[in-house]
Amino acid sequence: MRLTAAHSHRLPLSLLLTAALAATALTACGGGSGSSPDTIKVSYKQSTDNSVKVMDTYLAGIKKQFEHKYPGKKVEFVPIKAPDSEYYTKLQQMLRSPRTAPDLVYEDTFLINSDITSGYLKPLDPYLAKWPDWGQFIDTAKAAAKGQDGKTYGVPDGTDTRGLWFDKRVFGKAGLPTDWQPRTWDDVLAAARTIKRKVPGVIPLNVYTGKPAGERATMQGFEMLLYGTGDGTRDPLYDSGSKKWITGSQAFKDSLGFVETVYKEKLGPDVSDALDPNFNTTVNGELLPQGKLGIALDGSWLPYAWLPGSGHEWPDWSRRLGLAAMPTQHGQAPGKVSMSGGWTWSIPAKAANPDLAFDFVRTMQTKDNARKWYIANSGIAVREDVAADPKYVGAQPGIKFFTDLVASTHYRPAYPAYPKVSTAVQEAMEAVTTGDLSVAKAAGEYDATVEDVTGGQVVRG
């Protein structure tokens, strides 16, 4: 979904009203004018699942350290509790005015270039040049926070990878191997069909889809398919040579066809559940722990929902669940596919206390605090010193599996138009999920929308 003011005509009226109300409400709690020079305001995405307090707990510990290190300075949190798409809307409303802008914000890497282009963020290069720890960050993570002007606008706090989680209990009942490693898309669908036939009452396969799921649908769902097409040498979404977005490709139709198959054959959740914006909370907190989902195309971070104190404690998960790489379409090299993203801490252009805000970032990003965060939220380390630390590597089952996927991972095209292209992907997915459009018609609608939102910057695939 494109959320900047220039394209607000593309938003449904209900979301515009939500955004307007959010802006009014946030005026009272933002930063900017009237802020104390001794207090920084930190805004972040608070989980919509009341029992998951991982970020809140971590930040509370950093606040304590920071206030001890800088006597007389205070940290005030401005959490935004909302699904992803609403979080982006509310955050951008805050960033537009000095009256509401916090001093530090949590930015999804998929949206950061859009916010940079809109002038909402401050370049951090003068701070980074004097910060020795910046040399520990891996280059791909640094690149995710760079603007097209070559300046850096965020400090990454981890990355992620994606793969297939499968329930060994369900696989056992279905007569499927509990060391399952599919080689092709057809292998994944065949396993889902077997579960449907032999284990009633269990959802065979979850692939996030549709606009309510936002970037979960685009990245965890569609792009995990799309980037597994072809020979892996060419980005199937954006042509870097011509600097144009790709339309009319068979790869796009094939990926949509997989989504259509999942929902047409009732291999996935009920459509009404799939289109619930908080369905991921149900997947993490109920379906997987209760053995009601066979295969989940999902991310490396899932175990954070099952750690002690999470509200969904599941100490047994590593014995109950297996892990498999998402295969390429026909098993062609490199044989597996992953997508990586992540979040960064950024300072708004209209922040009242930017220097103090960066001091907070430096406190968060000591080696020890970074390791603590990666382990707490099941993140993949972007600091080389932490990635090599035995305490990190051995902290949790699955960390090595997902860290190893970085070698075959892909990153979304980090250009300002990406959020609009992503929304067009979600609309195409939703149309084939509900059965409203055929694959060919949904792909045609996508092509037309992308041509429109990118000002004709497209090339036929």
Side-chain angles (χ1 to χ4, degrees):
M1 182 175 297
R2 181 55 169 165
L3 301 170
T4 57
H7 292 84
S8 62
H9 65 278
R10 297 187 62 79
L11 292 173
L13 181 59
S14 60
L15 190 48
L16 284 173
L17 291 172
T18 300
L21 289 170
T24 306
L26 289 163
T27 302
C29 61
S33 70
S35 291
S36 160
D38 294 323
T39 300
I40 59 161
K41 297 196 174 186
V42 178
S43 200
Y44 65 96
K45 184 183 182 303
Q46 191 172 50
S47 175
T48 53
D49 184 343
N50 289 326
S51 61
V52 178
K53 303 286 186 187
V54 177
M55 175 70 98
D56 307 72
T57 303
Y58 172 73
L59 287 178
I62 301 298
K63 168 183 159 82
K64 193 173 176 183
Q65 283 184 36
F66 179 84
E67 292 178 349
H68 178 74
K69 187 176 179 182
Y70 299 94
K73 306 300 182 186
K74 298 289 176 192
V75 179
E76 183 183 320
F77 294 124
V78 187
I80 300 174
K81 187 175 184 174
D84 287 352
S85 58
E86 287 179 34
Y87 173 74
Y88 306 138
T89 306
K90 291 176 181 180
L91 185 61
Q92 289 186 327
Q93 289 287 344
M94 294 168 78
L95 295 176
R96 288 174 188 165
S97 167
R99 291 182 299 110
T100 55
D103 299 295
L104 192 64
V105 293
Y106 204 39
E107 282 269 340
D108 191 329
T109 52
F110 105 96
L111 203 66
I112 196 166
N113 261 284
S114 177
D115 284 352
I116 292 166
T117 305
S118 298
Y120 294 152
L121 304 177
K122 183 181 181 67
L124 303 181
D125 304 76
Y127 298 110
L128 300 173
K130 299 174 190 170
W131 185 36
D133 283 28
W134 188 236
Q136 290 289 348
F137 286 75
I138 61 174
D139 289 342
T140 49
K142 289 178 176 180
K146 258 191 184 167
Q148 289 178 294
D149 58 5
K151 295 175 183 174
T152 300
Y153 290 81
V155 174
D157 77 336
T159 189
D160 47 40
T161 51
R162 287 151 178 78
L164 293 165
W165 298 80
F166 63 94
D167 193 314
K168 293 179 185 177
R169 298 165 292 184
V170 174
F171 270 54
K173 289 175 190 171
L176 293 165
T178 53
D179 59 352
W180 182 63
Q181 297 293 315
R183 287 187 57 258
T184 66
W185 289 3
D186 283 343
D187 289 350
V188 177
L189 292 172
R193 289 178 184 125
T194 300
I195 292 167
K196 183 176 191 294
R197 200 169 60 248
K198 294 190 174 179
V199 196
V202 167
I203 297 167
L205 169 64
N206 182 53
V207 178
Y208 289 113
T209 186
K211 285 180 73 174
E215 197 61 13
R216 269 194 306 278
T218 309
M219 194 175 183
Q220 265 125 270
F222 195 79
E223 289 170 351
M224 285 291 290
L225 296 160
L226 185 65
Y227 281 79
T229 60
D231 62 5
T233 62
R234 182 185 180 215
D235 188 313
L237 199 58
Y238 183 83
D239 181 64
S240 54
S242 64
K243 298 192 167 148
K244 292 182 177 179
W245 297 88
I246 295 169
T247 57
S249 75
Q250 187 59 45
F252 191 94
K253 290 176 190 151
D254 288 351
S255 303
L256 267 191
F258 185 99
V259 176
E260 180 189 56
T261 299
V262 170
Y263 289 95
K264 197 174 192 177
E265 295 189 18
K266 301 194 182 306
L267 302 174
D270 289 343
V271 172
S272 58
D273 291 331
L275 298 180
D276 176 346
N278 294 311
F279 185 57
N280 64 307
T281 300
T282 305
V283 169
N284 304 347
E286 297 172 30
L287 297 178
L288 281 171
Q290 292 169 16
K292 293 179 179 174
L293 174 59
I295 307 165
L297 178 53
D298 223 310
S300 53
W301 57 87
L302 289 195
Y304 92 91
W306 308 322
L307 294 172
S310 67
H312 300 299
E313 293 88 346
W314 188 17
D316 231 16
W317 73 264
S318 62
R319 284 184 289 279
R320 300 291 191 188
L321 298 180
L323 290 165
M326 180 66 188
T328 52
Q329 183 176 7
H330 303 296
Q332 74 274 27
K336 55 190 174 184
V337 65
S338 180
M339 297 297 299
S340 287
W343 293 69
T344 72
W345 288 102
S346 299
I347 298 176
K350 295 180 170 71
N353 300 314
D355 295 354
L356 203 57
F358 196 79
D359 287 337
F360 189 81
V361 172
R362 290 194 308 169
T363 306
M364 272 196 287
Q365 283 293 342
T366 63
K367 181 189 173 187
D368 285 350
N369 284 340
R371 183 183 62 222
K372 190 184 297 180
W373 172 241
Y374 299 146
I375 292 170
N377 84 327
S378 303
I380 304 298
V382 292
R383 285 182 61 125
E384 290 174 348
D385 52 359
V386 177
D389 189 322
K391 288 182 188 170
Y392 161 77
V393 176
Q396 189 174 280
I399 279 184
K400 185 177 187 312
F401 171 84
F402 282 111
T403 302
D404 286 349
L405 284 178
V406 171
S408 52
T409 202
H410 300 269
Y411 296 85
R412 293 162 291 185
Y415 301 104
Y418 178 82
K420 294 176 283 183
V421 174
S422 177
T423 300
V425 168
Q426 293 155 29
E427 288 168 345
M429 292 180 82
E430 188 166 327
V432 299
T433 297
T434 59
D436 287 349
L437 294 179
S438 66
V439 165
K441 285 187 177 172
E445 292 273 331
Y446 168 82
D447 291 348
T449 302
V450 170
E451 188 156 0
D452 176 37
V453 300
T454 64
Q457 297 300 301
V458 297
V459 62
R460 300 296 285 181

